[in-house]
């Protein structure tokens, strides 16, 4: 690939994905502001419930990632039948995962939330919120897979447009349902959950329409089948299971972190929750590079052009490093303005600022790990490599460091966050060694 054509290809995918993630994060900030007016208990409860739903999000995202690996490589090799089969198989797997998580959230919501906090009020509110947003799990799985397919078909702008509609709807409904406007009852946290359900279902419906139109034009048909042609069931499982385990274990680690924060007190937990949307905004701004890496490198591997795949990978890492350094500098300068918009205690604002500084410092490492593990190293299908790297980082370093710093040394939450985030540096070191040795390069 020449430099100009490479950059155009990267931007064509990465910009819509980045804008979509930033849009979702920015509207999440608006949601936090509205929920923040209900008090620190509501903020903490929504944050904890979102941590558990985040486990589902990453597991469903893992299935979508496998679909992306398969679809991009088969598009690169020009095999439309395998593209369709890959999509249908991963759709069925996603549906099974969604049903399991939905059932658990509806039946065991209070027991699940009790693992995150000892504050009975926070647990009760979090369980109530979780039961409602569990309804979004099935449409959310569909949203991920449909968006992946459209991006692989060079229609990354469509998921962005539909997300804009859904995000605007979510914010409007939040205002109406949380505070009881337009003659409707004041639902508080429940109103925020209902708004999420309606907006996610709307996004799903729009993506289905977009998918039907695009696939008909591209000659890709959908056939509901668990059969694969070129890939055996064993080969599929070898790709899928390491990603599922990797994402589940990573998310479980994140939930251990959330439990640590929750046990440091409601105000500290609220401060961490306030920082989450801005963290999502920054990571989202560069997440498009990870998506673009997986799709574009996958297509090169599908063509069996391994040298081009490696050169493109190096460029993606450079783009990510420069972008993350710029974003970190902006965050450090603007952190004070961000926390002032929340109607919370001064202590919560101060601690949130400290957490944002820590995040700005570790963000470049997080972004490089995201591009490497989430895009480049997975593109060849050797997903077991990422499983080993992430397990060492999260469970070998992150979780033990978090528990020791919080409960043995009793450090403030900002220091706990910094120390456990050192696992990102461990993961990056190992990932770079694997990347340079090229053992991840493989054509399906």
């Amino acid at each position: 690939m020449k430099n100009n054509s490479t950059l155009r290809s990267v931007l064509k995918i990465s910009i819509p994905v980045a804008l979509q993630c930033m849009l979702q994060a920015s509207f999440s900030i608006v949601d936090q502001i509205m929920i923040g007016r209900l008090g620190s208990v509501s903020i903490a409860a929504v944050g904890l419930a979102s941590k558990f739903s985040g486990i589902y999000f990453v597991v469903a995202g893992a299935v979508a990632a496998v679909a992306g690996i398969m679809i991009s490589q088969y598009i690169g090799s020009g095999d439309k039948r395998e593209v369709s089969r890959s999509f249908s198989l991963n759709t069925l797997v996603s549906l099974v995962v969604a049903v399991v998580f939905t059932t658990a959230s509806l039946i065991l919501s209070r027991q699940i939330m009790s693992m995150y906090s000892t504050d009975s009020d926070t647990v009760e509110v979090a369980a109530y919120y979780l039961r409602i947003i569990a309804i979004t799990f099935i449409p959310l799985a569909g949203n991920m897979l449909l968006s992946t397919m459209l991006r692989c078909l060079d229609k990354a702008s469509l998921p962005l447009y539909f997300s804009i509609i859904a995000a605007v709807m979510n914010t409007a409904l939040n205002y109406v349902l949380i505070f009881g406007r337009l003659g409707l009852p004041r639902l508080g946290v429940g109103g925020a959950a209902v708004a999420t359900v309606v907006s996610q279902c709307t996004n799903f419906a729009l993506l289905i329409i977009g998918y039907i139109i695009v696939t008909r034009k591209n000659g890709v048909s959908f056939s509901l089948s668990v059969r694969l042609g070129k890939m055996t069931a064993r080969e599929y499982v070898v790709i899928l299971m390491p990603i599922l385990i990797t994402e589940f274990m990573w998310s479980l680690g994140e939930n251990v972190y959330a439990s640590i924060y929750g046990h440091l007190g409601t105000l500290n937990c609220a401060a961490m929750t306030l920082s989450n949307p801005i963290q999502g905004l920054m990571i989202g701004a560069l997440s498009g590079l990870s998506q673009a890496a997986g799709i574009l490198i996958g297509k090169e591997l599908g063509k069996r052009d391994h040298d081009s795949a490696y050169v493109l990978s190096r460029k993606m890492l450079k783009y990510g490093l420069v972008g993350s350094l710029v974003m970190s500098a902006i965050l450090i300068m603007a952190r004070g303005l961000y926390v002032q918009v929340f109607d919370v205690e001064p202590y919560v604002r101060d601690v949130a600022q400290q957490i944002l500084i820590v995040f700005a410092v570790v963000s470049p490492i997080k972004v490089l790990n995201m591009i490497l593990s989430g895009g480049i190293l997975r593109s060849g299908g050797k997903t077991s490599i990422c499983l080993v790297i992430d397990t060492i980082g999260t469970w070998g370093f992150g979780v033990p460091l978090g528990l020791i710093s919080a409960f043995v040394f009793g450090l403030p939450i900002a220091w706990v966050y910094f120390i456990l985030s050192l696992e990102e540096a461990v993961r990056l070191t190992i990932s770079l060694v694997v990347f340079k040795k090229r053992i991840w390069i493989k054509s399906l």
Side-chain angles (χ1 to χ4, degrees):
M1 286 189 179
K2 295 180 180 179
N3 286 337
N4 289 338
S5 62
T6 298
L7 185 58
R8 282 196 299 270
S9 298
V10 170
L11 294 178
K12 189 175 182 180
I13 298 175
S14 62
I15 289 180
V17 173
L19 289 175
Q20 185 177 350
C21 293
M22 290 176 68
L23 178 75
Q24 292 171 343
S26 63
F27 278 95
S28 178
I29 293 173
V30 175
D31 293 350
Q32 290 284 7
I33 294 172
M34 294 183 189
I35 295 171
R37 297 188 180 279
L38 302 177
S40 294
V41 169
S42 294
I43 292 178
V46 171
L48 294 180
S50 297
K51 284 296 182 182
F52 177 75
S53 63
I55 296 179
Y56 166 72
F57 186 87
V58 298
V59 173
V63 181
V66 174
I69 292 170
M70 297 168 67
I71 292 169
S72 61
Q73 287 221 23
Y74 289 133
I75 287 177
S77 63
D79 193 334
K80 292 183 178 181
R81 171 177 285 188
E82 288 301 312
V83 170
S84 177
R85 286 175 170 176
S86 300
F87 179 75
S88 62
L89 174 61
N90 286 289
T91 298
L92 290 174
V93 174
S94 291
L95 181 60
V96 172
V97 172
V99 169
V100 170
F101 273 85
T102 300
T103 303
S105 298
L106 292 175
I107 297 175
L108 303 172
S109 57
R110 204 177 192 290
Q111 291 89 330
I112 292 170
M113 288 299 97
S114 295
M115 295 187 295
Y116 291 85
S117 177
T118 56
D119 187 318
S120 59
D121 292 336
T122 301
V123 169
E124 195 62 41
V125 175
Y128 171 57
Y129 183 82
L130 178 62
R131 285 193 296 271
I132 299 175
I133 64 169
I135 300 171
T136 68
F137 289 170
I138 291 177
L140 184 59
N143 293 345
M144 289 182 179
L145 281 166
L146 290 168
S147 295
T148 297
M149 180 63 137
L150 290 170
R151 288 165 187 157
C152 289
L153 293 172
D154 294 327
K155 298 296 181 182
S157 58
L158 283 180
L160 169 62
Y161 299 149
F162 299 150
S163 290
I164 292 174
I165 296 172
V168 171
M169 177 181 292
N170 180 64
T171 299
L173 288 174
N174 267 338
Y175 177 73
V176 171
L177 297 176
I178 291 175
F179 303 114
R181 310 300 186 191
L182 302 179
L184 294 175
R186 179 186 174 97
L187 299 179
V189 167
V194 171
T196 300
V197 171
V198 174
S199 61
Q200 287 290 352
C201 289
T202 300
N203 194 28
F204 185 39
L206 291 172
L207 282 167
I208 291 175
I209 296 171
Y211 167 78
I212 292 173
I213 294 172
V214 170
T215 51
R216 283 182 177 177
K217 289 183 178 179
N218 285 270
V220 178
S221 60
F222 176 78
S223 56
L224 193 60
S225 171
V226 296
R227 297 181 59 190
L228 288 174
K230 293 183 177 180
M231 181 180 292
T232 65
R234 181 181 178 279
E235 288 172 333
Y236 174 76
V237 171
V238 167
I239 295 176
L240 173 64
M241 290 310 297
I243 291 185
L244 276 176
I245 297 171
T246 298
E247 297 297 341
F248 179 79
M249 294 301 291
W250 174 83
S251 183
L252 190 61
E254 290 292 308
N255 278 260
V256 172
Y257 300 157
S259 180
I260 292 173
Y261 305 143
H263 284 82
L264 292 178
T266 298
L267 294 182
N268 283 320
C269 184
M272 180 59 72
T273 301
L274 287 189
S275 73
N276 288 338
I278 202 68
Q279 291 188 38
L281 187 65
M282 281 189 60
I283 295 297
L286 297 167
S287 63
L289 291 174
S290 177
Q291 290 272 347
I295 293 171
L296 296 177
I297 296 168
K299 289 181 178 180
E300 293 301 311
L301 293 176
K303 298 174 185 176
R304 301 189 180 278
D305 192 345
H306 294 178
D307 288 336
S308 292
Y310 184 74
V311 171
L312 177 58
S313 300
R314 291 176 62 91
K315 291 179 180 178
M316 301 299 290
L317 290 174
K318 291 178 182 178
Y319 296 153
L321 179 59
V322 172
S324 61
L325 290 173
V326 172
M327 296 293 289
S328 289
I330 293 173
L331 176 58
I332 290 175
M333 292 185 290
R335 70 187 188 282
L337 295 174
Y338 171 73
V339 299
Q340 289 301 319
V341 302
F342 294 96
D343 186 17
V344 294
E345 296 86 344
Y347 174 82
V348 175
R349 288 199 190 98
D350 292 341
V351 174
Q353 283 199 63
Q354 296 169 16
I355 293 170
L356 289 174
I357 292 175
V358 173
F359 174 73
V361 172
V362 301
S363 178
I365 303 176
K366 284 179 176 287
V367 169
L368 291 177
N369 278 328
M370 177 179 66
I371 296 172
L372 274 168
S373 182
I376 295 171
L377 300 185
R378 287 181 178 177
S379 61
K382 291 188 176 181
T383 53
S384 58
I385 297 173
C386 298
L387 170 60
V388 174
I389 294 172
D390 286 356
T391 300
I392 292 173
T394 300
W395 293 96
F397 289 87
V399 170
L401 289 175
L403 293 171
I404 292 171
S405 60
F407 303 123
V408 176
F409 295 109
L411 297 176
I413 189 170
W415 277 104
V416 172
Y417 178 50
F418 174 73
I419 291 172
L420 65 83
S421 293
L422 293 176
E423 59 99 358
E424 295 281 354
V426 174
R427 290 172 53 205
L428 180 60
T429 301
I430 302 173
S431 296
L432 287 174
V433 172
V434 172
F435 171 72
K436 291 181 178 179
K437 289 187 175 181
R438 302 193 184 197
I439 60 177
W440 53 275
I441 295 179
K442 179 186 176 183
S443 299
L444 297 180

mmCIF file of all heavy atoms in Angstrom, residues 1 5 20 31 59 65 89 94 97 104 134 154 168 170 186 208 210 222 244 251 277 327 384 386 388:
data_model
loop_
_atom_site.group_PDB
_atom_site.id
_atom_site.type_symbol
_atom_site.label_atom_id
_atom_site.label_comp_id
_atom_site.label_asym_id
_atom_site.label_seq_id
_atom_site.Cartn_x
_atom_site.Cartn_y
_atom_site.Cartn_z
ATOM 1 N N MET A 1 0.840 -1.208 0.000
ATOM 2 C CA MET A 1 0.000 0.000 0.000
ATOM 3 C C MET A 1 0.870 1.251 0.000
ATOM 4 O O MET A 1 1.836 1.335 0.723
ATOM 5 C CB MET A 1 -0.887 0.027 1.253
ATOM 6 C CG MET A 1 -2.045 -0.929 1.237
ATOM 7 S SD MET A 1 -3.159 -0.604 2.639
ATOM 8 C CE MET A 1 -4.409 -1.836 2.343
ATOM 9 N N SER A 5 -2.861 6.086 -0.055
ATOM 10 C CA SER A 5 -3.989 5.158 -0.111
ATOM 11 C C SER A 5 -4.183 4.456 1.231
ATOM 12 O O SER A 5 -5.316 4.178 1.631
ATOM 13 C CB SER A 5 -3.773 4.122 -1.221
ATOM 14 O OG SER A 5 -2.617 3.342 -0.964
ATOM 15 N N GLN A 20 -18.331 7.551 16.299
ATOM 16 C CA GLN A 20 -19.415 6.804 16.928
ATOM 17 C C GLN A 20 -19.125 6.569 18.407
ATOM 18 O O GLN A 20 -19.984 6.770 19.264
ATOM 19 C CB GLN A 20 -19.608 5.467 16.205
ATOM 20 C CG GLN A 20 -20.789 4.661 16.718
ATOM 21 C CD GLN A 20 -20.987 3.381 15.927
ATOM 22 O OE1 GLN A 20 -20.363 3.173 14.889
ATOM 23 N NE2 GLN A 20 -21.862 2.519 16.409
ATOM 24 N N ASP A 31 -25.620 11.934 30.289
ATOM 25 C CA ASP A 31 -26.389 11.059 31.175
ATOM 26 C C ASP A 31 -25.885 11.160 32.614
ATOM 27 O O ASP A 31 -26.678 11.223 33.563
ATOM 28 C CB ASP A 31 -26.281 9.599 30.713
ATOM 29 C CG ASP A 31 -26.962 9.372 29.374
ATOM 30 O OD1 ASP A 31 -27.671 10.289 28.913
ATOM 31 O OD2 ASP A 31 -26.785 8.293 28.791
ATOM 32 N N VAL A 59 -17.884 -9.702 26.140
ATOM 33 C CA VAL A 59 -18.061 -11.068 25.639
ATOM 34 C C VAL A 59 -18.755 -11.040 24.282
ATOM 35 O O VAL A 59 -18.328 -11.709 23.329
ATOM 36 C CB VAL A 59 -18.857 -11.928 26.641
ATOM 37 C CG1 VAL A 59 -19.191 -13.288 26.023
ATOM 38 C CG2 VAL A 59 -18.058 -12.130 27.926
ATOM 39 N N ALA A 65 -15.734 -9.640 17.281
ATOM 40 C CA ALA A 65 -14.338 -9.569 16.841
ATOM 41 C C ALA A 65 -13.967 -10.777 15.985
ATOM 42 O O ALA A 65 -13.271 -10.650 14.971
ATOM 43 C CB ALA A 65 -13.413 -9.483 18.051
ATOM 44 N N LEU A 89 -23.140 -17.693 11.524
ATOM 45 C CA LEU A 89 -22.673 -18.506 12.645
ATOM 46 C C LEU A 89 -22.441 -17.652 13.886
ATOM 47 O O LEU A 89 -22.880 -17.991 14.992
ATOM 48 C CB LEU A 89 -21.385 -19.237 12.268
ATOM 49 C CG LEU A 89 -20.703 -20.018 13.400
ATOM 50 C CD1 LEU A 89 -21.611 -21.114 13.931
ATOM 51 C CD2 LEU A 89 -19.381 -20.605 12.926
ATOM 52 N N SER A 94 -23.806 -15.270 19.317
ATOM 53 C CA SER A 94 -24.124 -14.048 20.062
ATOM 54 C C SER A 94 -25.479 -14.142 20.741
ATOM 55 O O SER A 94 -25.668 -13.674 21.871
ATOM 56 C CB SER A 94 -24.110 -12.833 19.131
ATOM 57 O OG SER A 94 -22.811 -12.538 18.704
ATOM 58 N N VAL A 97 -25.218 -16.215 23.943
ATOM 59 C CA VAL A 97 -24.553 -15.436 24.997
ATOM 60 C C VAL A 97 -25.517 -14.404 25.579
ATOM 61 O O VAL A 97 -25.602 -14.221 26.803
ATOM 62 C CB VAL A 97 -23.298 -14.739 24.438
ATOM 63 C CG1 VAL A 97 -22.719 -13.770 25.464
ATOM 64 C CG2 VAL A 97 -22.250 -15.772 24.042
ATOM 65 N N ALA A 104 -29.535 -14.150 33.723
ATOM 66 C CA ALA A 104 -28.814 -13.940 34.986
ATOM 67 C C ALA A 104 -29.118 -12.561 35.568
ATOM 68 O O ALA A 104 -29.330 -12.425 36.786
ATOM 69 C CB ALA A 104 -27.316 -14.099 34.762
ATOM 70 N N ALA A 134 -30.946 -4.997 31.173
ATOM 71 C CA ALA A 134 -30.729 -6.351 30.664
ATOM 72 C C ALA A 134 -31.539 -6.611 29.401
ATOM 73 O O ALA A 134 -31.170 -7.447 28.572
ATOM 74 C CB ALA A 134 -31.086 -7.385 31.735
ATOM 75 N N ASP A 154 -17.029 -1.702 3.887
ATOM 76 C CA ASP A 154 -16.681 -0.306 3.603
ATOM 77 C C ASP A 154 -17.859 0.641 3.754
ATOM 78 O O ASP A 154 -17.953 1.664 3.070
ATOM 79 C CB ASP A 154 -16.090 -0.166 2.185
ATOM 80 C CG ASP A 154 -14.752 -0.883 2.055
ATOM 81 O OD1 ASP A 154 -14.012 -0.928 3.051
ATOM 82 O OD2 ASP A 154 -14.467 -1.400 0.959
ATOM 83 N N VAL A 168 -29.198 10.718 20.335
ATOM 84 C CA VAL A 168 -30.065 11.880 20.544
ATOM 85 C C VAL A 168 -31.363 11.438 21.222
ATOM 86 O O VAL A 168 -31.861 12.091 22.162
ATOM 87 C CB VAL A 168 -30.363 12.582 19.204
ATOM 88 C CG1 VAL A 168 -31.442 13.649 19.388
ATOM 89 C CG2 VAL A 168 -29.099 13.208 18.635
ATOM 90 N N ASN A 170 -31.744 8.813 23.132
ATOM 91 C CA ASN A 170 -31.431 8.410 24.500
ATOM 92 C C ASN A 170 -31.352 9.617 25.431
ATOM 93 O O ASN A 170 -31.895 9.606 26.538
ATOM 94 C CB ASN A 170 -30.102 7.649 24.515
ATOM 95 C CG ASN A 170 -29.721 7.192 25.914
ATOM 96 O OD1 ASN A 170 -30.414 6.372 26.516
ATOM 97 N ND2 ASN A 170 -28.629 7.715 26.430
ATOM 98 N N ARG A 186 -41.824 10.958 37.265
ATOM 99 C CA ARG A 186 -40.387 11.043 37.521
ATOM 100 C C ARG A 186 -39.868 9.649 37.888
ATOM 101 O O ARG A 186 -40.188 9.114 38.948
ATOM 102 C CB ARG A 186 -40.136 12.034 38.664
ATOM 103 C CG ARG A 186 -38.675 12.203 39.064
ATOM 104 C CD ARG A 186 -38.581 13.088 40.292
ATOM 105 N NE ARG A 186 -37.232 13.175 40.795
ATOM 106 C CZ ARG A 186 -36.372 14.157 40.521
ATOM 107 N NH1 ARG A 186 -36.762 15.142 39.733
ATOM 108 N NH2 ARG A 186 -35.162 14.151 41.021
ATOM 109 N N ILE A 208 -30.580 -3.156 10.953
ATOM 110 C CA ILE A 208 -31.141 -4.245 10.145
ATOM 111 C C ILE A 208 -31.519 -3.742 8.756
ATOM 112 O O ILE A 208 -31.208 -4.367 7.736
ATOM 113 C CB ILE A 208 -32.377 -4.862 10.843
ATOM 114 C CG1 ILE A 208 -31.952 -5.630 12.103
ATOM 115 C CG2 ILE A 208 -33.127 -5.791 9.887
ATOM 116 C CD1 ILE A 208 -33.121 -6.161 12.911
ATOM 117 N N GLY A 210 -30.306 -1.064 7.214
ATOM 118 C CA GLY A 210 -29.079 -0.726 6.508
ATOM 119 C C GLY A 210 -28.358 -1.959 6.001
ATOM 120 O O GLY A 210 -27.842 -1.982 4.875
ATOM 121 N N PHE A 222 -27.754 -13.687 3.367
ATOM 122 C CA PHE A 222 -27.730 -14.174 4.746
ATOM 123 C C PHE A 222 -28.452 -15.512 4.806
ATOM 124 O O PHE A 222 -29.620 -15.620 4.446
ATOM 125 C CB PHE A 222 -28.409 -13.187 5.688
ATOM 126 C CG PHE A 222 -28.500 -13.689 7.115
ATOM 127 C CD1 PHE A 222 -27.392 -13.635 7.936
ATOM 128 C CD2 PHE A 222 -29.680 -14.230 7.608
ATOM 129 C CE1 PHE A 222 -27.461 -14.112 9.246
ATOM 130 C CE2 PHE A 222 -29.753 -14.704 8.913
ATOM 131 C CZ PHE A 222 -28.640 -14.640 9.729
ATOM 132 N N LEU A 244 -13.021 -15.155 23.648
ATOM 133 C CA LEU A 244 -14.060 -15.141 24.675
ATOM 134 C C LEU A 244 -13.443 -15.164 26.072
ATOM 135 O O LEU A 244 -13.827 -14.383 26.951
ATOM 136 C CB LEU A 244 -14.981 -16.350 24.508
ATOM 137 C CG LEU A 244 -16.126 -16.225 23.507
ATOM 138 C CD1 LEU A 244 -16.870 -17.550 23.405
ATOM 139 C CD2 LEU A 244 -17.076 -15.107 23.910
ATOM 140 N N SER A 251 -12.589 -8.433 31.462
ATOM 141 C CA SER A 251 -13.742 -7.740 32.035
ATOM 142 C C SER A 251 -13.944 -8.117 33.491
ATOM 143 O O SER A 251 -14.302 -7.278 34.320
ATOM 144 C CB SER A 251 -15.003 -8.066 31.229
ATOM 145 O OG SER A 251 -16.106 -7.358 31.726
ATOM 146 N N PRO A 277 -16.889 8.391 31.762
ATOM 147 C CA PRO A 277 -17.280 8.905 30.442
ATOM 148 C C PRO A 277 -16.144 9.603 29.697
ATOM 149 O O PRO A 277 -16.002 9.433 28.484
ATOM 150 C CB PRO A 277 -18.416 9.884 30.777
ATOM 151 C CG PRO A 277 -18.975 9.408 32.059
ATOM 152 C CD PRO A 277 -17.795 8.889 32.820
ATOM 153 N N MET A 327 -4.263 13.709 22.882
ATOM 154 C CA MET A 327 -5.475 13.638 23.708
ATOM 155 C C MET A 327 -5.148 13.746 25.197
ATOM 156 O O MET A 327 -5.885 14.375 25.961
ATOM 157 C CB MET A 327 -6.210 12.335 23.422
ATOM 158 C CG MET A 327 -6.745 12.196 22.007
ATOM 159 S SD MET A 327 -8.076 13.365 21.625
ATOM 160 C CE MET A 327 -9.396 12.701 22.622
ATOM 161 N N SER A 384 -5.014 -17.075 20.694
ATOM 162 C CA SER A 384 -4.480 -17.594 21.956
ATOM 163 C C SER A 384 -3.321 -16.738 22.464
ATOM 164 O O SER A 384 -3.061 -16.684 23.677
ATOM 165 C CB SER A 384 -4.019 -19.046 21.781
ATOM 166 O OG SER A 384 -3.037 -19.137 20.764
ATOM 167 N N CYS A 386 -3.151 -13.472 22.431
ATOM 168 C CA CYS A 386 -3.736 -12.376 23.207
ATOM 169 C C CYS A 386 -4.237 -12.863 24.558
ATOM 170 O O CYS A 386 -4.162 -12.133 25.558
ATOM 171 C CB CYS A 386 -4.887 -11.735 22.424
ATOM 172 S SG CYS A 386 -4.371 -10.999 20.858
ATOM 173 N N VAL A 388 -2.939 -15.218 26.460
ATOM 174 C CA VAL A 388 -1.788 -15.338 27.359
ATOM 175 C C VAL A 388 -1.326 -13.963 27.836
ATOM 176 O O VAL A 388 -1.096 -13.743 29.040
ATOM 177 C CB VAL A 388 -0.627 -16.081 26.662
ATOM 178 C CG1 VAL A 388 0.620 -16.064 27.540
ATOM 179 C CG2 VAL A 388 -1.032 -17.508 26.329
#
